[in-house]
Amino acid sequence: MNLQSNDFEIFGLDPRFELDRAALDARWKALQREAHPDRFATADAQAQRQAMQWSVRINEAYQRLKDPLKRAAYLCELHGAPIQAEDNTAMPASFLMQQMQWREDLDEATRLEDLERMADEVSTARRAMLQDLQTTADVHHDWSALAQQVRALMFVERFASDVENRIDLLGQ
């Protein structure tokens, strides 16, 4: 194995957005069994160090590949379309209007039912956005469009987290 391999290569997968999560999990377990530092406890220091590096690298790759948002961002990076979330926050006006409306609704929500409705609405939007990511990446191979979609989904994920936090606060 090569530490410089990309995450997909490490797991023996085609670099695609859509992947079989069960196969990813099974491959992660197999790789961890092979490279786990405990297997090298009696080996020399270099072999122990390499096993530790591999174990860390496998876990990093697994964390990136199992999360759809991180996987999409990684595909963008691999194809020369960095996300640049800190520098590039340009979004379509309709998306920004939706975000503003959601924020206003969240600020005004006082009942658990309202927050749960919002959580459902955001979850539905998230599922649709994930489907769009898959189409953009795996069908159209439009990496700059995918980067913009990833940035938009990052906004939605952050908002979903804010809604969940409000639900938790209201439930106490």
Side-chain angles (χ1 to χ4, degrees):
M1 291 196 262
N2 180 351
L3 285 172
Q4 303 307 313
S5 296
N6 73 48
D7 295 355
F8 293 97
E9 292 168 343
I10 289 171
F11 280 82
L13 299 170
D14 291 330
R16 299 177 44 84
F17 179 77
E18 187 174 14
L19 57 75
D20 179 344
R21 178 62 192 268
L24 176 69
D25 291 348
R27 182 69 179 136
W28 173 70
K29 289 176 185 173
L31 288 170
Q32 278 301 342
R33 276 193 301 276
E34 286 177 36
H36 197 278
D38 289 348
R39 290 192 64 204
F40 297 86
T42 59
D44 63 35
Q46 180 181 359
Q48 289 177 2
R49 187 172 47 257
Q50 286 176 333
M52 181 60 75
Q53 289 172 333
W54 259 110
S55 184
V56 168
R57 180 68 180 94
I58 290 165
N59 282 327
E60 288 172 350
Y62 177 68
Q63 293 303 316
R64 209 170 4 249
L65 293 179
K66 78 175 187 171
D67 181 284
L69 184 58
K70 291 177 183 176
R71 184 171 58 250
Y74 186 65
L75 280 166
C76 290
E77 297 287 335
L78 287 177
H79 290 93
I83 299 303
Q84 299 172 320
E86 301 83 25
D87 303 333
N88 187 346
T89 57
M91 294 286 157
S94 60
F95 177 81
L96 294 175
M97 293 301 291
Q98 175 66 63
Q99 293 297 302
M100 287 172 44
Q101 184 63 54
W102 278 354
R103 288 285 168 195
E104 287 176 18
D105 292 348
L106 181 59
D107 288 343
E108 295 171 2
T110 58
R111 299 179 323 149
L112 184 59
E113 297 81 22
D114 296 333
L115 293 168
E116 288 173 340
R117 179 192 46 76
M118 289 177 71
D120 290 343
E121 183 180 335
V122 172
S123 179
T124 299
R126 182 181 182 275
R127 279 192 303 276
M129 292 174 85
L130 287 171
Q131 183 58 50
D132 290 344
L133 291 178
Q134 189 271 323
T135 301
T136 302
D138 296 346
V139 176
H140 301 295
H141 309 288
D142 186 344
W143 310 115
S144 60
L146 184 64
Q148 183 174 19
Q149 290 173 325
V150 167
R151 287 189 299 272
L153 185 54
M154 291 169 80
F155 275 90
V156 172
E157 293 280 347
R158 203 167 18 253
F159 182 74
S161 177
D162 292 347
V163 171
E164 287 302 317
N165 289 338
R166 281 286 305 280
I167 289 172
D168 290 345
L169 286 174
L170 200 59
Q172 293 180 354

